[in-house]
Amino acid sequence: MAYNLKVEAKKPERFTGGHRMCAGCGAPVVVRTILRALKPEDHAVIGAATGCLEVSTFLYPYTAWKDSFIHSAFENAAATIAGAEAAYVALKRKGKLPEGDTKFIAFGGDGGTYDIGLQALSGAMERGHNMVYVCYDNGAYMNTGIQRSSATPRYADTTTSPVGSVIPGKKQPRKDLTMIMANHHLPYVAQTAPFGNFKDLHEKAQKALYTDGPCFLNVLAPCPRGWRYDTPKLMEICKLAVETCFWPLYEVIDGKYVINYKPKKKLPVEEYLKPQGRFRHLFKKGNEHLIAEIQEEVDRRWNELLVLAGEA
Amino acid sequence: MAIRDRLSGNEAVAVAMRQINPDVVAAFPITPSTEVPQYFSSFVADGKVDTEFVPVESEHSAMSACIGAQAAGARTVTATSANGLALMWEMLYIAASLRLPVMLAVVNRALSGPINIHNDHSDSMGARDSGWIQIYGETNQEAYDNLIQAIRIGEHPDVMLPVMSCYDGFITSHAVENIDLIEDDKVKEFVGEYKPQYHLNDRFNPVSMGALDLQNHYFEHKRQQAEAMRNAKKVILEVAEEFYKLTGRKYGLFEEYKMEDAEIAVVVINSTAGTAKYVVDRLREKGVKAGLVKIRVYRPFPVEEIVAALSKCKAVAVMDKADSFNAAGGPLFTDVTSALYGRADGIKVINYIYGLGGRDVKTDDIEAIYNTLLDIVKTGEVKSVYNYIGVRE
């Protein structure tokens, strides 16, 4: 059946309202959309790294999670869920679990995934656990107060890469985690974002959840506090990330790269940067070369992706 | 009938694990514990167990995967040493606070730095207050017996705490000794099935674990954890009694060797007790009323029982195979003296740090300690409380 948001939205929520995530935050939208891709009859064991998502959805004695949920620490969501999946395999083999399928999902922010959790993620993926790791990438350590991570884009203003009179924000370009995971030769890797009717995110979540073996999703998840945008602009900013090719939508299926969306007219990266306060300094007179550098980086990466997908 | 065999400590522990047949083993290699997952993975490869073996990429992930597995309803075992235990540190506290009875064989090794692969107790001593039950074994037999009992202790509903079963690296882990193994079916019956009340793989009763727990609840949860540790003492003794009925081998919170009429005594942990017993025998031949207390259960610390065991002594030396770097004394010394304070005042207690980084401790060294105790008894004077033995100074 073709994707229909109205139908999807009528499914009982597996991630309930009443959690304490900010208005205009991408993460809960990402989580809810991914969990909607589960078959209603399937159980899920969900893990989260320490971060906004965890502390705002499971504050004792309240939980927003209708499935089984575990948080243990910051750097190990992948290892924790890998352990839970190993338990499932063993208990199934020993005939100790009832009929029915369980899906194993780990959520981590970019800090918990690109940085401190990269080792545990790489290990769990290489070992081939039947699980999906979802990085909700908001490009900084937002929970601790907007510190730069290796996912922070170049020249973004964060509290540990502040814009000063000498240094114009984070000096380094961002790490490309989706490519790193693609090079683990996993059955399914995808990059996506929540926008429009969530079709792209939903379908990729479904593929990841229902592909055997370790799968990885990298999902752009804007943060209104860190990015400094008006909360209703969440979807608009995601769309601009895609239209500028700052955040291309693509999949790597058993090693085959597929670009899911090619803008007819690629927008200049300024369109993505402009609504965000973290890039405000780039629009001061005399900083045009900084935007040019960002554009150059975006173009180079987009062209590399076109080559990988055989579309260059 | 027991099965007589000759095994190294690590082999014996791996055999115990085969007999326990855990649901999940997640482990990472580190000397001298490496052989445990190594032997175990060959049991997996040969189909002798139906465990899911998870060869993780670090000890941090080993303990994280153990936590995930145990939380998901699996009986879970791992092994490590020294820096491996140190890398698990963060997760040790989380396993304990999640009340997950993960089982960990700690093959004691000096903690870096400087890097050293040989035995002392600086690794597990550092983890003594992580919320784990700690049980120590002198011999291969004890390492084997302790692991089997540990399963029952940790999983007991009044306890629900993780357990470290510790034994000395190389001295115990690699030396081959005679051992009595229990039949496979009897071990299976003794450990029984793991049936947690809640687990992640229970699709009919989904649970959330590992909450953000702030000012209003954190303290109550830690208080419950402390209570579980208190409960453990009784459970350890009950399990030991049942184990005695099965094997004829008696275990307590500690072992008293010739303590009935002892005037001087040494308190020690693990393999050095074997050497010290030989010294006690020699001193007894000379008519010296010497005794020995070998700690088995270090966490929970058996305060009243230790006091009762030492209360008739005039002088006691506590031997620590780990220093505390507090300029005051080793960890076991601090625990023994604080147990005695107000309960058995007047006993002279001194401390010896020994054997760091695998330095041999000889019978002469231990005899010198007993001789110092005899001097203290004779003169009533303690010249030095906090001492080192077997080191060039």
Side-chain angles (χ1 to χ4, degrees), chain A residues 3 9 76 80 97 123 131 140 143 148 193 195 237 241 266 295 299:
Chain A
Y3 174 77
N76 63 351
T80 306
L97 292 178
M131 61 180 275
N143 191 42
R148 63 91 84 189
F195 65 93
I237 286 176
K266 187 161 149 253
Q295 184 66 60
D299 292 346

Side-chain angles (χ1 to χ4, degrees), chain A residues 26-27 108-115 135-161 170 172-175 177 218-227 229 246-247 272 276 278-279:
Chain A
D110 51 287
T113 308
Y114 284 69
D115 287 353
C135 175
Y136 67 98
D137 181 348
N138 53 29
Y141 292 85
M142 298 309 186
N143 191 42
T144 43
I146 318 161
Q147 289 80 35
R148 63 91 84 189
S149 77
S150 61
T152 303
R154 195 173 214 173
Y155 300 132
D157 182 25
T158 76
T159 57
T160 51
S161 63
K170 192 203 180 204
Q172 304 80 5
R174 53 190 303 282
K175 189 190 275 181
L177 183 63
N218 202 3
V219 192
L220 192 71
C223 165
R225 296 260 299 107
W227 296 17
Y229 58 83
F246 171 84
W247 191 264
Y272 173 62
Q276 301 182 44
R278 61 177 173 161
F279 297 116

Side-chain angles (χ1 to χ4, degrees), chain B residues 21-192:
Chain B
N21 190 15
D23 300 308
V24 173
V25 169
F28 187 80
I30 181 165
T31 304
S33 67
T34 309
E35 288 178 336
V36 174
Q38 201 172 301
Y39 288 126
F40 191 79
S41 59
S42 72
F43 297 145
V44 176
D46 293 335
K48 289 181 178 164
V49 288
D50 45 15
T51 306
E52 194 63 14
F53 180 66
V54 188
V56 280
E57 82 298 332
S58 72
E59 290 89 353
H60 193 282
S61 283
M63 189 46 64
S64 300
C66 286
I67 286 170
Q70 193 92 33
R75 180 177 274 159
T76 307
V77 181
T78 185
T80 196
S81 296
N83 297 41
L85 186 64
L87 191 54
M88 287 180 180
W89 224 260
E90 179 192 27
M91 302 319 296
L92 295 178
Y93 285 78
I94 292 168
S97 75
L98 283 171
R99 307 291 300 278
L100 297 171
V102 175
M103 219 48 54
L104 169 59
V106 176
V107 186
N108 287 113
R109 161 183 156 180
L111 189 58
S112 297
I115 187 168
N116 175 304
I117 59 166
H118 294 284
N119 169 249
D120 69 30
H121 301 155
S122 50
D123 50 3
S124 61
M125 279 298 151
R128 67 190 182 275
D129 294 331
S130 59
W132 285 59
I133 292 168
Q134 284 195 339
I135 302 180
Y136 289 82
E138 176 192 335
T139 60
N140 300 357
Q141 184 75 62
E142 292 184 10
Y144 170 83
D145 290 350
N146 282 345
L147 192 77
I148 292 167
Q149 292 176 67
I151 298 280
R152 288 282 306 280
I153 296 161
E155 290 175 8
H156 193 284
D158 294 343
V159 179
M160 298 209 305
L161 288 174
V163 186
M164 284 180 207
S165 176
C166 312
Y167 53 99
D168 284 346
F170 292 111
I171 301 165
T172 310
S173 68
H174 283 61
V176 174
E177 291 183 317
N178 290 332
I179 189 167
D180 283 339
L181 300 174
I182 310 162
E183 292 85 339
D184 291 357
D185 56 330
K186 285 188 182 164
V187 174
K188 193 179 171 189
E189 197 191 324
F190 183 83
V191 297

Side-chain angles (χ1 to χ4, degrees), chain A residues 99-149:
Chain A
E99 288 284 300
D101 282 339
T102 298
K103 296 292 166 188
F104 292 83
I105 311 167
F107 288 102
D110 51 287
T113 308
Y114 284 69
D115 287 353
I116 196 169
L118 184 61
Q119 174 186 310
L121 169 63
S122 177
M125 295 287 109
E126 181 273 333
R127 291 191 303 273
H129 295 277
N130 194 7
M131 61 180 275
V132 180
Y133 190 101
V134 181
C135 175
Y136 67 98
D137 181 348
N138 53 29
Y141 292 85
M142 298 309 186
N143 191 42
T144 43
I146 318 161
Q147 289 80 35
R148 63 91 84 189
S149 77

Side-chain angles (χ1 to χ4, degrees), chain A residues 41 63 68-69 71 75-76, chain B residues 64 90 200 203 207-209:
Chain A
E41 66 272 25
T63 181
S68 295
F69 177 84
H71 156 257
E75 67 278 57
N76 63 351
Chain B
S64 300
E90 179 192 27
L200 300 170
R203 59 189 294 128
V207 280
S208 289
M209 300 189 191

Side-chain angles (χ1 to χ4, degrees), chain B residues 13 42 102 124 143 282 331 354 378:
Chain B
V13 164
S42 72
V102 175
S124 61
R282 283 211 317 206
Y354 76 101
K378 206 160 95 185

